Amino acid sequence: MRNKYVWTFCVLLGMPLVGGAQWLNFRDPGTPRTSDGQPNLSAPAPRVHGKPDLSGVWEVESSPKKEIERYLLPGGINGLGEDDPSKYFINFLSDFPFGKEPFQPAAAAAFQQKMKNPQKPPTLCLPPTLPMADLFPVPFKIVQTPRSVLFLYEADTFFRQIYTDGRKHPDDPQPSWLGYSVGRWDGDWFVVDTIGLTDRGPVDVIGHPRSESMRLTERMHRRDFGHMEMELTVTDPQTYTQPLTVKVNFRLLPDTDVIESFCSEDEQDLPHMRGQ
């Protein structure tokens, strides 16, 4: 059982989330510099209207190799570009012992059956979804404005709008891949509350499930110019017996930008996958 489980991770990690080369060598005049002209990533975080300005191009920090090597294809690039992923991108529940994940009984049975009988997916280029989008080992850009915060993702060139204009969630949201997000400030932490996610999307690469009642809370704090931390909490009482919280760090990619990138372009892995 465990071998099939791990094999599934490896296959899914073959999906082409490739991050292409960036807009190179654009010297941003707003970036603080050290005496030798290099970006000073330890400089104070920029602020706007009294709050940290989250704007910039970011990428999640990789997990230590020993925490993710069992998931990766030996000798391969794993379709993830230059950097190793966070372990939570692969397995959002990786802090729990194998077989001890806090599933509701019905969800546990369904997940175990899925792992015993893996099915070949119709495509490796499913629409992007959360919380995976936060954990893609590919750059994304934050644009902070007075009434909304925009997330522009390089992987598949998609975007999110997080509204900070005081609006509430809809009473009866139409389930979607990225849901409905509203944001607020809690001191220097930006807090995003997202509902209305479709149950067709997984929580992670492994395929841990979720229901349409899932709620995602993202808390992010820009510690200094070049570093940001985020707490992600999945709350889904139909699927899990407790909220699931992970903490990850992001690094700023200075003097660069995101570019166009699409999963379906030159995707050649699916015909070689095993499964029914």
Side-chain angles (χ1 to χ4, degrees):
M1 171 60 185
R2 185 176 178 86
N3 288 338
K4 286 187 178 181
Y5 197 61
V6 173
W7 179 86
T8 302
F9 306 165
C10 295
V11 167
L12 290 174
L13 276 171
M15 62 184 177
L17 298 175
V18 176
Q22 300 304 292
W23 191 299
L24 299 177
N25 302 321
F26 176 77
R27 186 181 175 90
D28 187 343
T31 297
R33 306 278 169 177
T34 58
S35 59
D36 61 359
Q38 296 300 310
N40 183 2
L41 301 184
S42 298
R47 302 182 76 88
V48 59
H49 303 302
K51 299 298 182 184
D53 186 356
L54 305 180
S55 299
V57 177
W58 300 91
E59 186 173 347
V60 67
E61 292 186 0
S62 305
S63 292
K65 196 77 169 183
K66 64 181 180 180
E67 295 183 1
I68 59 173
E69 59 186 1
R70 68 184 185 275
Y71 301 129
L72 302 180
L73 295 170
I77 63 169
N78 297 286
L80 298 176
E82 297 178 357
D83 298 316
D84 288 334
S86 164
K87 64 179 180 180
Y88 300 117
F89 171 68
I90 305 170
N91 181 2
F92 198 82
L93 282 69
S94 61
D95 290 337
F96 294 93
F98 180 78
K100 301 294 185 181
E101 299 87 350
F103 277 119
Q104 294 288 3
F111 183 70
Q112 293 298 331
Q113 184 64 28
K114 177 182 176 181
M115 292 298 100
K116 290 178 181 177
N117 299 285
Q119 301 291 311
K120 182 182 290 190
T123 176
L124 293 183
C125 299
L126 290 171
T129 192
L130 296 168
M132 290 179 66
D134 287 328
L135 303 172
F136 282 157
V138 176
F140 69 97
K141 185 175 186 175
I142 297 179
V143 180
Q144 186 168 319
T145 78
R147 297 176 60 84
S148 62
V149 175
L150 310 179
F151 279 47
L152 312 178
Y153 297 91
E154 181 171 287
D156 260 338
T157 315
F158 68 98
F159 65 91
R160 289 174 66 196
Q161 299 179 88
I162 300 167
Y163 293 99
T164 57
D165 56 4
R167 72 181 66 188
K168 306 298 181 183
H169 285 133
D171 293 331
D172 185 20
Q174 176 68 34
S176 61
W177 290 93
L178 295 171
Y180 300 74
S181 297
V182 296
R184 61 180 177 83
W185 287 97
D186 180 10
D188 282 350
W189 287 79
F190 185 56
V191 183
V192 182
D193 189 23
T194 300
I195 67 168
L197 292 157
T198 174
D199 60 2
R200 292 181 292 162
V203 172
D204 50 25
V205 168
I206 289 171
H208 282 120
R210 68 182 189 214
S211 73
E212 290 183 356
S213 68
M214 188 191 103
R215 188 180 215 106
L216 176 67
T217 303
E218 300 155 284
R219 292 176 52 86
M220 56 200 80
H221 174 229
R222 188 170 188 171
R223 299 196 310 264
D224 56 22
F225 186 80
H227 303 91
M228 181 170 66
E229 55 192 322
M230 182 185 292
E231 298 176 0
L232 296 149
T233 299
V234 166
T235 304
D236 185 357
Q238 290 188 25
T239 309
Y240 302 102
T241 60
Q242 65 185 68
L244 310 173
T245 298
V246 305
K247 298 179 181 180
V248 293
N249 294 312
F250 295 81
R251 68 182 186 279
L252 184 75
L253 306 181
D255 298 340
T256 188
D257 212 334
V258 293
I259 64 169
E260 178 181 287
S261 177
F262 293 99
C263 168
S264 59
E265 190 171 74
D266 200 32
E267 194 287 296
Q268 301 179 35
D269 294 330
L270 188 61
H272 304 288
M273 288 180 59
R274 291 158 52 194
Q276 299 298 318

